[in-house]
Amino acid sequence: MSEKNFYLYIDGLAVQVSKEVYREYKRAEDKERYFMKRLKTGRFVVDEKNQTVTYVPGRETSYERLLEEDWAFAAHGESMDDIMVKAHLIETLEMALQTLTDEELDLIRKIFYLEKSEREVSAAYHLTQTAIHKRKKKILKKLKKFFE
């Protein structure tokens, strides 16, 4: 009588294993299935002493069931209010930037968008750092009026 061959399928490929390995694998698989079922499904616990029956819900539940039970979920990321405020601020900033002259816009772009220092910008314009600082303050004051 020939001995039975045991196979486990790994990535769709049949791998021959010993009877002991096969049994251990199946035992572990059954154990996992058992615990997953206990996690997913609720059960009733009967207390014979107090003559009560208590329902213990599963630890895993569906999104729909949680909605039915009026669970509140914290939103990930920014709230809708924050998103709307930010969108309004960006829109206001875009309108404010359109009122600047080309030279003012170039100065703001270099300092804030390209992250150049006032000293680097002053060298590019062949002006003193103090003059660039005063121009920047004047432009920011002009932009600030749009946000008041």
Side-chain angles (χ1 to χ4, degrees):
M1 185 168 160
S2 67
E3 186 153 330
K4 184 176 177 182
N5 294 328
F6 294 93
Y7 294 92
L8 294 178
Y9 291 89
I10 302 171
D11 295 329
L13 205 67
V15 177
Q16 188 172 355
V17 294
S18 68
K19 185 177 182 178
E20 294 79 21
V21 170
Y22 182 82
R23 279 187 179 168
E24 188 59 33
Y25 179 82
K26 287 299 183 186
R27 189 186 66 74
E29 200 174 61
D30 290 345
K31 188 175 182 179
E32 181 181 3
R33 196 176 308 115
Y34 169 77
F35 282 117
M36 290 307 292
K37 183 179 179 192
R38 285 195 70 189
L39 284 175
K40 290 181 180 183
T41 58
R43 64 187 191 285
F44 289 96
V45 177
V46 178
D47 184 1
E48 292 179 12
K49 181 179 177 186
N50 295 330
Q51 301 230 341
T52 59
V53 177
T54 311
Y55 178 73
V56 179
R59 293 187 206 163
E60 187 177 290
T61 190
S62 69
Y63 177 70
E64 290 78 16
R65 181 171 159 213
L66 293 174
L67 287 176
E68 287 172 5
E69 294 176 5
D70 292 326
W71 279 60
F73 296 95
H76 295 295
E78 296 179 280
S79 69
M80 186 54 75
D81 291 339
D82 291 341
I83 292 170
M84 295 303 293
V85 167
K86 188 183 283 186
H88 177 69
L89 289 174
I90 290 171
E91 186 178 306
T92 305
L93 179 61
E94 287 174 354
M95 288 187 328
L97 289 172
Q98 290 175 1
T99 66
L100 299 178
T101 66
D102 289 341
E103 188 177 293
E104 291 172 330
L105 193 56
D106 189 52
L107 181 74
I108 292 299
R109 185 180 61 78
K110 286 180 179 174
I111 293 174
F112 292 102
Y113 292 97
L114 300 177
E115 298 178 351
K116 302 280 185 183
S117 68
E118 289 179 2
R119 183 168 284 150
E120 291 171 318
V121 175
S122 68
Y125 281 116
H126 304 292
L127 296 170
T128 64
Q129 186 263 329
T130 306
I132 294 297
H133 181 73
K134 285 181 181 178
R135 285 186 184 186
K136 179 184 85 171
K137 294 290 263 182
K138 181 181 171 189
I139 296 167
L140 290 177
K141 189 175 183 181
K142 188 176 178 180
L143 293 174
K144 186 178 178 183
K145 290 179 183 176
F146 279 87
F147 293 94
E148 294 177 340

